Structures are given as C-alpha cells and as structure tokens.
Amino acid sequence: MVDRKGGNKVEWKLRMRRNLKDNPIHGHTLTAQRRLLLELLRDADGHIDAKELYGRASMRDESISLATIYRSLNLFKQLGLVAERRLGKVRCCYEMKHSPEHQHLVCYGCGRVIEFENHLVGKLIEAVRREHGFYVTKAELYLEGYCPECEEKEETGHHDDC
C-alpha cells in the first residue's frame, strides 16, 4: 500500500501551497471556488468522486454548484493537475497528480479504493516492450474483488456495508 504520509507528500503539499498563491491553472482565472476545489482535492489524500467533492465544497461555500464541480474537474484534468480514474463500471474518481505510478484495488462490497504499488507491473511493461516492440506510455491497473472486511461479511453472511 502506498504511504501517502511520507516525505514526497509533504514536499508536494508545500509546492502546491506555493503554486496556489500563484496561478496553478495557467491562463485561466483562479476563482475562489477553483482554489477551494484544488485544496479539497489535495487534502483528500486519494480518490474522491464528484459528488463527494461537491458535498465537501458546499459545506464551505454554499453557492457552489455540482455543474461548477464538473467543469472545474474537467479543466483540472485538461491542465494535468488531476487524474480521472474509472474504477468499476460506473464509479469515476479523481486524484491529484502527485503520486508515483500505482495500482488500485476496488471493493465490490463497500466501494473502497485501495492504492498499492507492485514492481511486477514495471516488469510486465518491460516484457511487452521487449516482446512486442511496443513503447508503453501509460499503464492503468485496477483489480476488483472484496476487501478483508467485506470478504469476512460474505463468509459469515452479513451483507451490511463495510
């Protein structure tokens, strides 16, 4: 599992705070709502979907709309500030682009997304390059299943949310 509280995270937060004082959205107006959304995304420490982001943002700014959330996320994605991940069939999450390449585990039971790193993914990419002459520029991997809590509930017959 990725340690999101390590030195890289601290350095990134300091860099982000400095950038927020300037304009991290290059050539676009950094409105108070966009600044708020960037702060909330940064502080989310992982994946967050648009509705969850809207809930957090509307607690601090009642005038923000869900449409503003989606437009801002689209802009942030175009500018390379956030990554959009389609995890599962319908769930779309966002995360700040500050962490190294990592993979995702998606729980069918509770919907939790767990990040992990595995050196075998890099080896697979290298094998593809060697065997097929294909230069991989992006690799996304997510595995679906049950987290330990939901697996235990499956085994015991308790089907409440994790």
Side-chain angles (χ1 to χ4, degrees):
M1 198 147 136
V2 175
D3 179 8
R4 295 189 147 295
K5 300 195 185 330
N8 289 340
K9 177 83 178 204
V10 171
E11 291 169 12
W12 181 85
K13 280 188 173 188
L14 290 172
R15 211 170 47 246
M16 187 66 178
R17 283 194 183 115
R18 278 194 307 270
N19 288 342
L20 283 176
K21 290 176 186 168
D22 302 322
N23 186 352
I25 56 175
H26 319 292
H28 299 272
T29 305
L30 182 58
T31 63
Q33 289 181 337
R34 287 178 179 165
R35 180 184 298 272
L36 171 63
L37 294 176
L38 286 170
E39 289 173 4
L40 291 171
L41 284 162
R42 177 197 66 215
D43 293 342
D45 282 336
H47 307 90
I48 186 170
D49 65 22
K51 289 184 180 179
E52 187 177 346
L53 182 61
Y54 170 68
R56 292 179 188 186
S58 62
M59 289 172 55
R60 291 183 43 193
D61 180 349
E62 293 177 359
S63 69
I64 200 163
S65 70
L66 190 55
T68 297
I69 302 294
Y70 281 110
R71 281 192 306 268
S72 297
L73 286 171
N74 190 44
L75 174 63
F76 299 158
K77 189 172 65 170
Q78 289 173 2
L79 294 171
L81 296 173
V82 300
E84 179 182 75
R85 306 271 188 231
R86 295 200 181 276
L87 303 172
K89 293 182 180 174
V90 295
R91 189 160 182 216
C92 188
C93 296
Y94 300 86
E95 64 181 333
M96 295 300 291
K97 282 190 171 182
H98 64 275
S99 58
E101 288 295 323
H102 58 273
Q103 294 75 46
H104 301 94
L105 305 173
V106 181
C107 179
Y108 279 135
C110 63
R112 184 169 51 178
V113 178
I114 303 164
E115 295 183 356
F116 72 100
E117 291 182 43
N118 189 304
H119 70 281
L120 294 176
V121 174
K123 288 183 177 187
L124 173 63
I125 291 169
E126 180 57 30
V128 166
R129 189 195 60 73
R130 247 188 351 266
E131 294 171 20
H132 302 281
F134 189 83
Y135 180 74
V136 176
T137 58
K138 179 179 179 182
E140 291 189 45
L141 172 68
Y142 75 92
L143 304 172
E144 296 178 341
Y146 293 94
C147 68
E149 292 85 6
C150 290
E151 178 66 21
E152 184 177 319
K153 288 180 182 182
E154 279 291 312
E155 289 175 0
T156 61
H158 300 323
H159 295 285
D160 300 337
D161 287 340
C162 291

